[in-house]
């Protein structure tokens, strides 16, 4: 993932400002989408097997609080894990999914607001503090903003209501593709693959250096490519011979 440590001056400030703005824009879209649901529609299936829309909403709320825990870690220097345990996380999502639609929405809005407030108040120097993600991998604190952006956009699509991958702004989609490609890169279960994406005003190519050669080449627009790499959509809107991919995570 993009976990390089930035300097403590203008570069870091600019990165954090841009990332916070992107997360806040995505969160506004999330709250509009959830605000358009009701007591019946939140009980309908999401695009995630076994999860209703209520499960996705509960997960996004607890994920915001989890990143809030990491902000405490970054600010204080005292280890503060994202979740107490995987079981606690799963239980909190299952419990939250049983709440009424109104409670689900209010919980999501409040958790997103807590995270946004804590992030805006974090001292600039703390954004380079070393923390760890949900599975214990070390990362600089500023990288959590990229992770939250990914969570919000992807699970917005998973709600299967009024957002799909083509609705993600190109700049955000490019960042998400960068992070997804890096997560895939070098894994022994990933076939050698080059993906080329047309952003309109420029093109980007990412190479997933898997175990077979020569690499397959697949091209297309940002939304369909992201959906396919994440295993949410098929490759019907892409060009080239798309290989079977393992689960992204």
């Amino acid at each position: 993932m993009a976990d390089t440590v930035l300097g403590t001056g203008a570069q870091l400030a600019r990165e954090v400002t841009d990332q916070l703005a992107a997360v806040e824009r995505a969160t506004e879209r999330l709250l509009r989408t959830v605000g358009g649901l009701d007591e019946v529609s939140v009980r309908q299936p999401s695009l995630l097997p076994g999860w209703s829309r209520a499960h996705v909403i509960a997960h996004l709320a607890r994920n915001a609080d989890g990143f809030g825990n990491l902000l405490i870690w970054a600010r204080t220097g005292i280890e503060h894990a994202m979740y107490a345990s995987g079981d606690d996380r799963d239980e909190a999502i299952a419990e939250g999914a049983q709440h009424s639609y109104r409670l689900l929405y209010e919980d999501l809005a409040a958790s997103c607001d807590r995270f946004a407030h804590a992030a805006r108040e974090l001292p600039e120097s703390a954004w380079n503090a070393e923390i760890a993600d949900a599975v214990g991998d070390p990362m600089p604190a500023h990288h959590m903003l990229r992770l939250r952006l990914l969570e919000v956009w992807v699970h917005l699509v998973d709600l299967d209501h009024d957002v799909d991958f083509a609705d993600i702004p190109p700049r955000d989609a490019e960042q998400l593709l960068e992070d997804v490609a890096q997560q895939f890169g070098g894994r022994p279960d990933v076939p050698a693959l080059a993906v080329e994406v047309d952003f309109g005003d420029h093109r980007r190519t990412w190479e997933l250096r898997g175990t077979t050669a020569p690499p397959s080449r697949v091209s297309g627009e940002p939304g369909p490519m992201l959906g396919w790499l994440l295993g949410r959509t098929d490759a019907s809107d892409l060009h080239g011979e798309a290989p079977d991919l393992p689960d992204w995570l």
Side-chain angles (χ1 to χ4, degrees):
M1 304 290 278
D3 57 0
T4 54
V5 174
L6 299 175
T8 58
Q11 183 185 9
L12 174 62
R14 185 167 54 250
E15 169 83 4
V16 168
T17 297
D18 290 347
Q19 292 294 327
L20 277 173
V23 170
E24 289 175 359
R25 287 192 298 267
T27 301
E28 289 173 1
R29 184 63 184 268
L30 170 65
L31 293 175
R32 287 200 306 272
T33 293
V34 175
L37 300 175
D38 56 29
E39 192 63 54
V40 174
S41 56
V42 294
R43 308 302 162 194
Q44 300 304 309
S46 73
L47 296 182
L48 291 175
W51 270 18
S52 68
R53 288 176 174 138
H55 284 89
V56 175
I57 296 167
H59 165 62
L60 283 165
R62 300 289 72 75
N63 178 262
D65 285 339
F67 281 123
N69 289 335
L70 296 185
L71 289 170
I72 294 172
W73 184 348
R75 188 180 71 248
T76 66
I78 300 172
E79 183 173 350
H80 204 91
M82 191 169 182
Y83 302 110
S85 70
D87 288 342
D88 284 346
R89 168 192 172 275
D90 294 344
E91 290 172 7
I93 293 170
E95 179 182 351
Q98 304 307 311
H99 291 165
S100 69
Y101 162 69
R102 180 47 54 188
L103 283 177
L104 277 165
Y105 178 83
E106 290 177 354
D107 180 33
L108 177 65
S111 63
C112 290
D113 186 63
R114 286 192 296 270
F115 173 74
H117 178 75
R120 288 193 296 266
E121 295 299 315
L122 192 70
E124 181 180 301
S125 60
W127 285 108
N128 261 338
E130 183 173 291
I131 56 174
D133 63 17
V135 297
D137 291 334
M139 65 179 183
H142 64 81
H143 187 62
M144 77 174 76
L145 298 174
R146 299 179 72 105
L147 297 181
R148 179 60 181 174
L149 187 68
L150 180 67
E151 290 281 341
V152 172
W153 276 123
V154 173
H155 290 313
L156 242 174
V157 177
D158 288 334
L159 286 173
D160 193 24
H161 182 55
D162 63 355
V163 177
D164 61 31
F165 286 107
D167 294 315
I168 300 175
R171 184 175 180 180
D172 290 354
E174 184 168 1
Q175 176 178 296
L176 302 186
L177 283 162
E178 175 77 28
D179 290 346
V180 170
Q182 289 196 31
Q183 180 66 31
F184 264 141
R187 280 174 44 179
D189 58 345
V190 176
L193 174 67
V195 297
E196 183 179 280
V197 182
D198 184 358
F199 291 95
D201 60 346
H202 69 286
R203 302 174 76 90
R204 287 281 306 275
T205 299
W206 288 274
E207 292 189 5
L208 280 61
R209 299 184 181 278
T211 58
T212 61
S216 301
R217 297 192 70 86
V218 179
S219 62
E221 296 182 353
M225 185 67 75
L226 184 59
W228 175 62
L229 289 174
L230 290 170
R232 263 60 171 190
T233 60
D234 61 27
S236 59
D237 291 328
L238 302 175
H239 306 286
E241 296 186 8
D244 291 334
L245 295 177
D247 292 340
W248 175 62
L249 287 176

